[in-house]
Amino acid sequence: MAHIILKRSSFFHNLDIIAATCGCKEKIALVLKDNAYGHGLLEMAALASEYGITKAVVRHVAEAERIERYFDYILILADTAPSTNEKFRYAINSLEDIAALHVNCKVELKVDTGMHRHGIAPELLEEAFQRIYNRKLRLTGLFSHHRSADCLSSEWFWQRHNFEALKKAAVSLQQHYGFEPLTFHLNNSAALFREGACPDTMVRVGIAAYGVLELEPTLPAPALEPVLSLYAYKIASRTLNPRDRVGYSGTYTAETSHDVSTYDIGYADGLMRSYAPRFRTPQGHTILGRISMDNTSFNTSAEELLIFNDARKAARASNTIAYEILTALKPHLPRKVV
Ligand SMILES: *Cc1c(COP(=O)(O)O)cnc(C)c1O
């Protein structure tokens, strides 16, 4: 059956590099949203905990509940469903979130330092503090997000500058309202490696931990190792005659007589149709014809076929980014840690 292999040693190697860059592993909040970028939520949570990571970031409360036993701190990016779990921190993405969150829960305030997607505008900082206080929420943190940390441009600098100013304003508001000292965090993977240090309480790292961070060529990139490999198994082989055509609509036509085999993976597993025709496996095999729902044909007869071991290369063939390649991989694929 098509399956995913997760390399523990590569994941730990990446976490070593991340910990060395931000100062210590206690500062790492591992981003496990969207099934841990397709790697498998429980598999990666267990590995992270084994390594000594104590903080995680997810999108929904339901994900946080599944991994609760592995961590001391879980930031929930976009959900207001109630929970009394003391480990959970709810992100406030807008003033409206404050009224939606249940009284007494722990919250972290997202501020807009320039991405203009969500987060409180700097001029509304004081109002947000007041509303959080009035609503009897427990504010524990202030954070923001970089929009262009992977590009060589000035944005990375002025977003950091804006965040530092907001940190300062937040400290005096925190003291005024009697909240506990705040956790501050701005950097994602790309921002961490640009900064080369962590001037905040923690970093929120996703793609670098999975080993497929991409930066502009002019920016120094760390020597990370991809954690995930995708394999498929052969269902059938045949020999094509010249002019035989393969798959739906027969978009591939054999010019010479050669072998074709069909494997048990398709777009319903996350092998997007846009892979064809440019994609090549690490061994150089190509897709013949269209990708079907559960099947794809390649010009090889191997029993087991390594589809990819570096999502960045698959991304280039299908004109997207490694994040999309990985999160497309469906939860039903078996995952094995080696
Ligand atoms: C997804 C996400 C991250 C992780 O970004 P990477 O580029 O994968 O390191 C960090 N912060 C927030 C708010 C996110 O949504």
Side-chain angles (χ1 to χ4, degrees):
M1 190 150 96
H3 65 275
I4 285 168
I5 296 290
L6 304 165
K7 244 193 188 165
R8 169 195 266 105
S9 60
S10 296
F11 184 48
F12 288 5
H13 164 84
N14 299 339
L15 291 174
D16 284 346
I17 291 179
I18 293 162
T21 308
C22 71
C24 59
K25 59 182 159 188
E26 288 71 30
K27 281 196 164 191
I28 303 174
L30 180 66
V31 182
L32 289 168
K33 66 189 180 192
D34 298 292
N35 203 26
Y37 291 38
H39 290 62
L41 177 61
L42 291 179
E43 289 83 353
M44 297 314 290
L47 280 178
S49 167
E50 182 188 327
Y51 181 84
I53 301 288
T54 57
K55 301 183 180 75
V57 181
V58 295
R59 186 143 69 129
H60 299 125
V61 172
E63 296 166 272
E65 283 169 346
R66 289 181 65 208
I67 58 168
E68 179 267 336
R69 65 184 180 280
Y70 294 112
F71 301 100
D72 301 334
Y73 164 110
I74 304 179
L75 175 65
I76 297 161
L77 290 173
D79 202 349
T80 55
S83 164
T84 53
N85 195 313
E86 282 289 303
K87 296 176 178 180
F88 296 179
R89 309 282 198 279
Y90 291 81
I92 294 174
N93 292 302
S94 66
L95 288 179
E96 293 72 45
D97 277 352
I98 297 170
L101 284 160
H102 55 287
V103 169
N104 207 37
C105 72
K106 292 182 181 169
V107 294
E108 300 207 0
L109 184 62
K110 179 149 192 199
V111 286
D112 183 7
T113 49
M115 191 174 191
H116 303 329
R117 196 175 57 166
H118 41 55
I120 308 290
E123 57 274 20
L124 295 176
L125 189 70
E126 193 157 353
E127 176 167 356
F129 268 73
Q130 181 153 33
R131 287 201 199 187
I132 291 166
Y133 179 82
N134 290 344
R135 177 78 187 152
K136 298 191 170 56
L137 305 179
R138 285 183 284 163
L139 184 68
T140 64
L142 185 91
F143 74 106
S144 190
H145 195 44
H146 275 291
R147 75 176 185 199
S148 316
D150 51 349
C151 307
L152 188 62
S153 71
S154 66
E155 286 154 290
W156 180 78
F157 296 97
W158 57 250
Q159 278 197 261
R160 165 54 75 188
H161 177 82
N162 290 348
F163 190 59
E164 290 301 327
L166 284 159
K167 275 162 82 171
K168 222 182 240 170
V171 168
S172 73
L173 287 165
Q174 168 252 321
Q175 287 163 352
H176 174 77
Y177 285 102
F179 294 126
E180 66 177 75
L182 302 176
T183 299
F184 294 114
H185 44 106
L186 173 63
N187 288 350
N188 61 352
S189 298
L192 169 66
F193 286 104
R194 285 199 68 183
E195 192 127 37
C198 176
D200 308 314
T201 326
M202 64 176 220
V203 292
R204 302 180 309 270
V205 170
I207 204 78
Y210 305 110
V212 288
L213 172 69
E214 276 190 287
L215 300 175
E216 273 194 0
T218 43
L219 297 170
L224 303 166
E225 295 172 8
V227 172
L228 181 148
S229 308
L230 177 66
Y231 289 84
Y233 279 99
K234 186 165 81 177
I235 299 172
S237 284
R238 69 199 61 249
T239 302
L240 298 171
N241 294 314
R243 292 190 301 284
D244 279 352
R245 304 199 302 165
V246 179
Y248 284 116
S249 302
T251 57
Y252 173 79
T253 306
E255 286 177 7
T256 57
S257 175
H258 66 85
D259 290 344
V260 58
S261 302
T262 298
Y263 291 83
D264 63 347
I265 190 161
Y267 59 78
D269 302 299
L271 200 71
M272 294 181 282
R273 289 174 83 251
S274 56
Y275 277 57
R278 281 195 290 157
F279 177 78
R280 273 181 171 52
T281 70
Q283 272 85 40
H285 302 305
T286 55
I287 295 171
L288 305 187
R290 285 190 184 158
I291 294 175
S292 311
M293 191 180 292
D294 302 327
N295 306 143
T296 303
S297 300
F298 286 87
N299 62 345
T300 170
S301 318
E303 284 303 316
E304 187 185 69
L305 182 63
L306 170 61
I307 306 286
F308 69 75
N309 53 12
D310 185 338
R312 290 169 292 196
K313 293 186 182 149
R316 262 167 241 141
S318 51
N319 223 353
T320 182
I321 53 175
Y323 296 79
E324 191 181 18
I325 295 292
L326 291 169
T327 54
L329 298 171
K330 296 291 162 66
H332 67 247
L333 290 167
R335 274 119 172 123
K336 192 171 156 211
V337 178
V338 297

